Amino acid sequence: MPRSRIAPTPRRDAIPLVRAFSRDLARAGGLLSPHFLSSGMPLGEARCLYELGHADGLEISTLARYLELDLGYVSRAVSRLAARRLVTKRVAPGDARARSVVVTDQGRRLIAALDRQMDRRLGAWLAAKPRPEIDRLADGLAAAFGSRDARIAIRSPRPGAIGHIIARHGEFYVAERGYPALFEHVVVQAFSDFVTGFSPPRDRIFVAERGGAFAGSVAVKGRASATAQLRFLLVEPDARGRGLGRRLVQRVIDHARRSGERRIVLDTASDLDAARALYASLGFCRTASVSGEPYLPRGVASEHWELAL
Ligand SMILES: CC(C)(COP(=O)(O)OP(=O)(O)OC[C@H]1O[C@@H](n2cnc3c(N)ncnc32)[C@H](O)[C@@H]1OP(=O)(O)O)[C@@H](O)C(=O)NCCC(=O)NCCS
């Protein structure tokens, strides 16, 4: 691959650390066995199956190039996968002479079973390590190897996060938006009620983190009549405009659906244009508006929005 710029020199100990990590990972993941996770195939063949399962048809030469493997090796691996009815060949789109390889339903079932086994093995391996270090490792891996979106992780709150969410709400609304100081008291009270009656799995708090630092939050509370209430949506100013607010609200919608809720309700304010546009774009509708609340600035109304699931 041509190099367009000089690669940065890694920290002195980065390479031996990564090598030690990958040796440990290979052992813990069972990668060294000639029968990868009891699949009856070596890792190279299983990797061919995996890549084919994550593409919509690949030619053998493309697969070999991508995996940087010998064409003959990949060709024989694909023949063995085909003999087990895990893959099949079809005419490549746009070239009647070329054949692309696609995974069969049986192949997809095997990939899913291998994924589950691997998740279990690595989950057990990581669970034996100290949690904060693993969280930092995950953040580092997301920052170095993940997509732009994946650099912000959404997870349950760590100790201290709840106090931080309350503080950021106070700072944002009172200091930045000029809301009356009473608003901060209302947030403290609301969060206190929320945490006191906290009842998982229906109730959840989601915290977004970038490189271990707070980037945003949202919470969801189960109410009567299969109703979920969305609360405490906030994205840090430097993380805005990149889809995080949408990811957080979508997380709440997905969670509410899985919990069997029939609708989601929320309260917002008439001056929060970005939030209102976000809610509207996801199908929420404003159902009520109340003026004159003492915790809101003059001329700003409290609004109730709902989404039927
Ligand atoms: C509302 C908020 C959470 C959005 O977070 P975000 O990460 O910037 O939002 P996204 O990048 O995911 O954008 C999602 C949608 O929000 C709307 N939106 C975001 N920024 C906007 C802006 N400045 N003006 C108008 N609409 C905006 C758009 O509909 C956008 O969709 P689009 O990108 O397809 O146009 C964020 O602005 C925020 O924290 N605001 C202050 C706190 C707040 O209002 N909380 C809601 C309390 S009810």
Side-chain angles (χ1 to χ4, degrees):
M1 195 191 289
R3 288 186 176 203
S4 55
R5 63 180 95 143
I6 298 167
T9 314
R11 222 172 81 170
R12 244 182 132 80
D13 57 350
I15 291 171
L17 279 169
V18 168
R19 292 187 60 187
F21 174 71
S22 76
R23 276 197 301 278
D24 224 10
L25 178 70
R27 191 189 41 73
L31 306 186
L32 306 169
S33 159
H35 301 292
F36 174 66
L37 299 182
S38 353
S39 63
M41 58 180 91
L43 177 63
E45 206 169 304
R47 181 65 191 269
C48 289
L49 178 65
Y50 179 90
E51 295 303 337
L52 290 165
H54 289 80
D56 184 23
L58 273 186
E59 286 180 45
I60 291 176
S61 54
T62 312
L63 179 61
R65 257 197 319 277
Y66 173 66
L67 289 177
E68 300 190 17
L69 286 172
D70 173 65
L71 182 60
Y73 173 87
V74 173
S75 176
R76 286 190 296 280
V78 168
S79 298
R80 281 192 295 274
L81 294 172
R84 289 181 62 181
R85 297 201 161 81
L86 299 169
V87 302
T88 183
K89 290 180 186 169
R90 70 172 183 208
V91 176
D95 183 354
R97 288 164 309 171
R99 294 282 175 277
S100 67
V101 184
V102 289
V103 170
T104 61
D105 288 347
Q106 200 173 323
R108 290 200 184 285
R109 283 196 291 277
L110 179 59
I111 293 173
L114 292 174
D115 275 347
R116 281 195 297 275
Q117 272 192 65
M118 184 56 96
D119 286 352
R120 268 200 303 277
R121 284 183 79 123
L122 293 188
W125 178 55
L126 293 176
K129 314 265 179 219
R131 175 68 197 267
E133 275 72 20
I134 294 304
D135 286 348
R136 276 203 292 278
L137 174 68
D139 289 336
L141 288 173
F145 300 105
S147 66
R148 191 172 182 227
D149 205 29
R151 289 175 191 202
I152 295 188
I154 299 176
R155 56 161 57 102
S156 297
R158 305 171 196 272
I162 289 174
H164 189 76
I165 295 171
I166 295 173
R168 288 302 293 136
H169 271 73
E171 282 157 7
F172 172 72
Y173 287 101
V174 180
E176 293 171 38
R177 297 294 298 234
Y179 277 35
L182 178 62
F183 187 85
E184 190 166 4
H185 303 186
V186 171
V187 171
V188 172
Q189 188 62 52
F191 225 106
S192 161
D193 293 346
F194 180 85
V195 176
T196 306
F198 194 67
S199 172
R202 266 182 102 198
D203 299 357
R204 286 289 303 268
I205 301 173
F206 297 106
V207 171
E209 284 184 1
R210 189 173 42 186
F214 178 84
S217 65
V218 74
V220 54
K221 172 122 202 105
R223 300 282 183 201
S225 314
T227 298
Q229 185 184 15
L230 181 150
R231 311 206 69 174
F232 310 116
L233 173 66
L234 183 73
V235 170
E236 284 293 339
D238 64 355
R240 287 183 197 160
R242 287 189 249 149
L244 179 56
R246 190 178 291 284
R247 269 176 77 193
L248 287 168
V249 178
Q250 192 59 54
R251 187 60 80 91
V252 167
I253 295 173
D254 294 344
H255 175 74
R257 282 217 170 91
R258 274 198 299 275
S259 305
E261 317 286 6
R262 285 205 302 272
R263 57 184 195 138
I264 301 178
V265 298
L266 64 88
D267 293 302
T268 186
S270 59
D271 67 330
L272 300 177
D273 295 333
R276 292 161 86 247
L278 168 59
Y279 298 141
S281 75
L282 287 166
F284 283 84
C285 294
R286 188 177 53 178
T287 54
S289 174
V290 178
S291 305
E293 295 286 11
Y295 55 85
L296 293 178
R298 199 188 295 269
V300 172
S302 160
E303 294 184 346
H304 190 76
W305 290 58
E306 295 191 9
L307 173 71
L309 295 177

